[in-house]
Amino acid sequence: MLFLKHINKKAKSETDTGLSTVSSLVGGRMLNRDGSPNLQVKGMRFFERLNIYHALLSMPLWRFLLIVVIFFIVINVLFAGVYLWIGLEHLGGIETHSANEKFGEAFFFSAQTFTTVGYGRISPVGFMASFVASLEALCGLLSFAIATGLMYGRFARPKAYIQYSAHALFAPFKDGVALMMRLVPYTKNYLVNAEARFTISMKVFEEGVVKTRFFSAALDINKASTLMSNWTLVHPINHDSPLYGLKKEDIEAAETELLVFLEGFDESFSSTVVTRTSYTYREFVYGAKFKPMYHPSEDGNSTILYLDKLDDYEPATFNIQFV
């Protein structure tokens, strides 16, 4: 275990991270690679803390569409059962004989009523059938209004379309060493006035117990007027760095984690977007540098950016003894 006294005294400690410093109460990394907190929430009933609107907005698109399809099928099955219970003689225009055909006619009449399509071949006869059909049409209008709002909210919700490199590298930098990672926007939602920040967490032995300490890690360049291409964020390991004087074994013993925060203004959304990720000591690579991601086009009139080369790196030699 790394002792606190071995940490660079000039390193700036952070106390406003909002994350726990009691190491014995925290398991695993602070942030997942997708930027979400590495938390399992318990102690309250599921439906008490369920935020349906937020869940439907933030879940993956395939899951959202699956829920919409399942809801559509289930509610039409329920209304088809109601029509069968009332009696198909109250639905004019049905020409069926078998039980399966009767259910099919009731189901598709329900689907037509729910979507207000109403082809006209089948129509309700009598008060009960007309009342149920009216109620279903109302449910259909409300459901489609909600689904339309959710679809718009999902597509219009501001999001930073940023991809991060799979590893953070300890690479040569200005006759020294620096901790680097790379990011790139992968759509045309380019950011302006982008600002990045590094925070390094380490588990250290202090006052007889293991605690988690957070340190600010200054970047060589932390602002970009326009973020259109890849950006390599560089933390020089100098006399002010919390990693200064540490070896690979020390970094691993402290279970070091690099927290990355990026904020910028997206002109497409006219809104500020925020994204984050983290790298644990298992995702560090020592003695490597990133390969270029872009080069001029054949005619020399433009630049070609290869997104699939975001994680490409090659071995590099330190000019000083580090690992």
Side-chain angles (χ1 to χ4, degrees), residues 122-136:
I122 303 175
S123 59
V125 178
F127 174 78
M128 283 300 297
S130 298
F131 175 78
V132 174
S134 301
L135 181 62
E136 183 177 11

Side-chain angles (χ1 to χ4, degrees), residues 29 31 33 256-258 278-284:
R29 66 197 306 160
L31 298 177
R33 286 306 311 274
T256 304
E257 181 177 355
L258 172 64
S278 81
Y279 299 86
T280 67
Y281 64 98
R282 295 186 180 92
E283 295 159 338
F284 293 161

Side-chain angles (χ1 to χ4, degrees), residues 34 74 136 141 153 174 211 216 225 237 253 267 270 288:
D34 62 359
V74 169
E136 183 177 11
L141 290 173
K174 296 182 179 179
K211 296 184 179 181
S216 177
S225 298
I237 302 178
E267 292 180 319
S270 294

Side-chain angles (χ1 to χ4, degrees), residues 115-186:
T115 57
T116 67
V117 171
Y119 290 119
R121 183 175 67 85
I122 303 175
S123 59
V125 178
F127 174 78
M128 283 300 297
S130 298
F131 175 78
V132 174
S134 301
L135 181 62
E136 183 177 11
L138 176 62
C139 293
L141 290 173
L142 294 177
S143 298
F144 278 97
I146 294 173
T148 301
L150 288 170
M151 287 293 292
Y152 175 79
R154 289 182 62 89
F155 283 106
R157 183 166 59 103
K159 177 183 177 182
Y161 293 91
I162 300 294
Q163 187 71 32
Y164 296 96
S165 59
H167 299 90
L169 311 183
F170 283 91
F173 180 74
K174 296 182 179 179
D175 297 326
V177 180
L179 178 59
M180 305 181 182
M181 52 77 59
R182 189 158 66 175
L183 57 88
V184 65
Y186 58 90

Side-chain angles (χ1 to χ4, degrees), residues 23 55 79 100 119 209 229:
S23 180
F79 274 104
N100 290 337
Y119 290 119
V209 296
S229 182

